[in-house]
Amino acid sequence: MANEILKYLSKYVNITEDIEKAINESVYIKNFTKGTILLKEGDFSNDCYFILKGCIRSFYLKDGDEKTSEFYTENQVVLPNEYGQRIPSECFIECVEDTIVCIGNKELETLAFQKYPQLEKIHHVIADMMVVNYQKTFTEFKMSSPEQRYLWLLKNRADLMQRAPQYQIASYLGIKPETLSRIRKRIVKK
Amino acid sequence: MANEILKYLSKYVNITEDIEKAINESVYIKNFTKGTILLKEGDFSNDCYFILKGCIRSFYLKDGDEKTSEFYTENQVVLPNEYGQRIPSECFIECVEDTIVCIGNKELETLAFQKYPQLEKIHHVIADMMVVNYQKTFTEFKMSSPEQRYLWLLKNRADLMQRAPQYQIASYLGIKPETLSRIRKRIVKK
DNA sequence: ATAACTTCTTGACTTAAGTCAATGAAGAGA
DNA sequence: TCTCTTCATTGACTTAAGTCAAGAAGTTAT
């Protein structure tokens, strides 16, 4: 099952035997049921996740509302903002569905990078890709109206509409649930 | 002058002599005057920049308007989305002020990483930080109203208000110039 | 099966952003 | 210095999002 990670990585870098070993030594697999809170505001975050199956979201409590900042699904990496630092988390991380993840933690990660320096290459490629992805997504978001952002979601992450409740998706789009409901109505008419 | 980069890096990692050599071999310094276009939509991007002095922005042409996606100032890294890939750029990069930069390019970078594998450590730390920064900024943006986003800018990047014209800042905030003008008026009253 | 929740939709109304056009102010160039 | 251009502000109006409240639909637990 952990070789899903290897399959994922092999799209970007060449997987050697050592790397395979490194991954297997550094992560373990765990199941969580829908609704499980993986990280609470104020807690220290020492784990990161690679999703094998299921859906996870991160959200903040602000003005009495939950604001979903990100949804993560199969083959995505959940990297808490304060991962491995000794800083209390500002957000919650929760399973939106029953979810199977590979868990990595800061200590094992550090050991692995020491023992297998070739891992740096992988980190390099993946991190570059994540930076570019964030830049692109952020830009797209800023340039778009709420309606355009919803259409973007339909086009690029249509599955989320089935997987997560609408009020969570609304805050993910930066709007209120009522507004998302009305945008959907408006679009059906067109 | 290039040791500004080293000073910046030394905040995050230990700088060895080799790393110093690597940096000096891989970047060169150049001046640009206000208004210089460093990258045009459709062009291939092979350079990245570390700003020593000045201000640079990236923007897109969409619906006949310029949409500023990011402002970069002293000690920030301008990393074009398509940097080093053989893909035409979707955005423009322009100097908002007379600007002095360290320029790195993909070929020299690749050579440097081959010659000085210790550089991977630096890349690791800086890339991690960039990913977290983007996550945080994006989240902050999504959770805020246009007015809150403007206040956020005043608090965190106040200098931009003096350095860039208001219509560019408006699109950076995801709003129209007229709206920014009205938000400013509203806030003064309060 | 029923009750208790949670989520989604709808309506009526308020507030703020978008649009278009005009004017004013500041800066650049001849 | 004067003109031309660019940018910022303002007004009047349109459109869309936020707010509050009520009710419908769908879930969960007992």
Side-chain angles (χ1 to χ4, degrees):
Chain A
M1 199 62 165
N3 56 18
E4 285 296 318
I5 292 190
L6 295 169
K7 209 163 101 190
Y8 165 77
L9 292 174
S10 69
K11 280 191 289 186
Y12 305 103
V13 287
N14 192 36
I15 303 296
T16 65
E17 227 171 276
D18 264 5
I19 288 177
E20 205 172 323
K21 237 191 291 172
I23 302 285
N24 284 322
E25 286 172 16
S26 314
V27 303
Y28 61 102
I29 292 176
K30 210 164 165 184
N31 286 14
F32 295 105
T33 57
K34 179 175 171 175
T36 306
I37 300 284
L38 301 177
L39 180 67
K40 278 206 295 289
E41 186 184 350
D43 285 359
F44 297 111
S45 139
N46 219 34
D47 293 341
C48 62
Y49 309 90
F50 177 88
I51 303 186
L52 297 170
K53 184 97 197 62
C55 181
I56 289 175
R57 69 169 179 137
S58 54
F59 67 94
Y60 292 74
L61 284 186
K62 197 188 168 194
D63 314 324
D65 280 326
E66 291 178 4
K67 312 273 187 181
T68 299
S69 51
E70 196 56 70
F71 287 106
Y72 305 88
T73 51
E74 284 79 11
N75 291 328
Q76 289 192 305
V77 175
V78 183
L79 184 70
N81 280 341
E82 294 82 4
Y83 170 65
Q85 304 174 267
R86 301 175 165 280
I87 301 173
S89 173
E90 293 181 8
C91 73
F92 296 79
I93 296 181
E94 181 198 42
C95 295
V96 174
E97 300 175 341
D98 290 352
T99 301
I100 311 170
V101 292
C102 288
I103 304 185
N105 70 54
K106 197 61 182 183
E107 282 73 38
L108 287 176
E109 182 196 311
T110 306
L111 284 177
F113 276 110
Q114 278 164 8
K115 194 166 165 194
Y116 306 97
Q118 318 93 289
L119 283 179
E120 290 292 354
K121 185 80 208 314
I122 292 192
H123 181 277
H124 189 137
V125 173
I126 302 287
D128 279 3
M129 198 183 59
M130 287 177 78
V131 169
V132 167
N133 276 351
Y134 264 105
Q135 286 189 169
K136 280 188 181 171
T137 313
F138 192 11
T139 300
E140 186 69 34
F141 189 92
K142 275 203 291 207
M143 296 200 300
S144 304
S145 66
E147 180 170 327
Q148 290 172 322
R149 298 202 290 260
Y150 171 66
L151 291 171
W152 181 92
L153 197 72
L154 279 188
K155 199 172 150 194
N156 296 284
R157 306 195 65 183
D159 60 307
L160 283 184
M161 292 306 299
Q162 325 305 328
R163 305 176 82 164
Q166 220 163 286
Y167 76 96
Q168 290 177 9
I169 290 172
S171 72
Y172 177 62
L173 293 173
I175 58 179
K176 300 283 159 187
E178 297 94 324
T179 300
L180 177 53
S181 177
R182 290 189 173 108
I183 286 175
R184 282 159 57 80
K185 206 169 141 190
R186 221 155 61 203
I187 285 169
V188 170
K189 271 196 214 157
K190 287 180 187 172
Chain B
M1 199 62 166
N3 56 18
E4 285 297 318
I5 292 191
L6 295 168
K7 209 163 101 189
Y8 165 78
L9 292 175
S10 70
K11 280 190 289 186
Y12 306 102
V13 286
N14 191 35
I15 302 296
T16 64
E17 227 170 279
D18 264 6
I19 287 178
E20 204 172 323
K21 237 192 292 173
I23 301 285
N24 284 323
E25 287 172 16
S26 314
V27 303
Y28 60 101
I29 292 176
K30 208 162 167 185
N31 285 14
F32 294 105
T33 56
K34 179 175 171 175
T36 306
I37 301 284
L38 301 176
L39 179 67
K40 277 205 295 290
E41 187 184 350
D43 285 358
F44 297 110
S45 139
N46 219 34
D47 294 341
C48 63
Y49 309 91
F50 178 87
I51 302 186
L52 297 170
K53 184 98 197 60
C55 181
I56 288 174
R57 70 169 179 135
S58 54
F59 67 94
Y60 292 72
L61 283 187
K62 197 188 169 195
D63 314 324
D65 280 327
E66 292 178 3
K67 312 272 189 181
T68 299
S69 51
E70 197 54 73
F71 287 105
Y72 306 89
T73 52
E74 284 79 11
N75 291 328
Q76 289 191 307
V77 175
V78 183
L79 185 70
N81 279 343
E82 293 83 5
Y83 169 66
Q85 303 174 268
R86 299 174 168 282
I87 300 174
S89 173
E90 292 182 8
C91 74
F92 295 80
I93 297 181
E94 179 197 43
C95 294
V96 174
E97 300 175 342
D98 290 351
T99 301
I100 311 170
V101 291
C102 288
I103 304 185
N105 71 55
K106 198 61 182 184
E107 282 73 36
L108 287 175
E109 183 196 312
T110 307
L111 284 176
F113 276 110
Q114 277 165 8
K115 192 166 166 193
Y116 305 99
Q118 317 96 289
L119 284 179
E120 290 292 354
K121 185 81 207 314
I122 292 191
H123 181 276
H124 189 136
V125 174
I126 303 286
D128 279 3
M129 198 184 58
M130 286 177 78
V131 169
V132 167
N133 276 352
Y134 264 104
Q135 285 190 170
K136 281 188 179 171
T137 313
F138 192 12
T139 300
E140 186 70 35
F141 189 94
K142 275 203 290 209
M143 296 199 303
S144 305
S145 66
E147 180 170 327
Q148 289 172 321
R149 298 203 290 259
Y150 171 68
L151 292 170
W152 180 92
L153 197 72
L154 279 187
K155 200 172 150 195
N156 295 284
R157 305 195 66 183
D159 60 307
L160 283 185
M161 292 304 299
Q162 325 305 326
R163 304 177 84 163
Q166 220 162 287
Y167 76 97
Q168 290 177 10
I169 290 172
S171 72
Y172 177 61
L173 294 172
I175 57 179
K176 300 283 159 186
E178 296 95 324
T179 299
L180 178 53
S181 176
R182 290 189 172 106
I183 287 176
R184 281 159 57 82
K185 205 168 142 190
R186 220 155 61 203
I187 285 169
V188 170
K189 270 197 212 153
K190 286 181 185 170

